[in-house]
Each structure stands twice: as C-alpha cells, then as structure tokens.
Amino acid sequence: MEDMNFSIELKCLFCDSVLKGDPEAELSSGDMVECQECRELNDYDALIDIASEEGKERVAEVAVSEIEKMLKKAFK
Ligand SMILES: [Zn+2]
C-alpha cells in the first residue's frame, strides 16, 4: 500500500527557504507569513498558488482539492 500522507512545503518567495509555520496558527487567505530566514512577509495566497502547482506535479488532485476546500472555507 502506498502511504497517502504527504505535506506541501510552503517556500519563501524571497529566499526559497521552507517556511515553518506555527502548527497552532491557522492561516487563511489574506494572511502574511513571515519567513524565519529573511524576515520578509510572504503573501499566503501566492504561497498557496505555488504550493498547489507543486502539489499538482507531485501528488496530483488530492493536494489541490484539499487546498481548494481550505480556500473555500476561508472565503465563507
Ligand atoms: Zn525568506
């Protein structure tokens, strides 16, 4: 059986480090995510755009549909 667990890494738009968000923090559309490396603020929507593109390549629709669900919730 293949392990369906995977994670999508959100990468800093400025320095390309993986952003390690607070697991307790709930990010939603419009939020800014501070990079621990360069201290730049990344636009969460842009990060999700990029992550969903990478998700499509890596694990196809599962990741994308999860992201879309998250985004739909965020817009409620
Ligand atoms: Zn950075």
Side-chain angles (χ1 to χ4, degrees), residues 10-20 35-38:
L10 297 180
K11 283 187 186 163
C12 178
L13 302 175
F14 301 92
C15 71
D16 210 36
S17 329
V18 176
L19 296 169
K20 296 186 188 72
C35 173
Q36 287 86 352
E37 295 299 322
C38 69

Side-chain angles (χ1 to χ4, degrees), residues 52-63:
S52 65
E53 284 304 311
E54 286 185 8
K56 274 181 205 165
E57 285 164 26
R58 281 197 285 170
V59 281
E61 285 92 18
V62 185

Side-chain angles (χ1 to χ4, degrees), residues 16-49:
D16 210 36
S17 329
V18 176
L19 296 169
K20 296 186 188 72
D22 183 348
E24 303 282 299
E26 291 207 17
L27 295 168
S28 58
S29 184
D31 283 351
M32 301 300 275
V33 185
E34 186 180 8
C35 173
Q36 287 86 352
E37 295 299 322
C38 69
R39 297 288 165 194
E40 291 284 356
L41 291 173
N42 291 270
D43 179 70
Y44 184 66
D45 296 323
L47 293 172
I48 289 297
D49 263 5

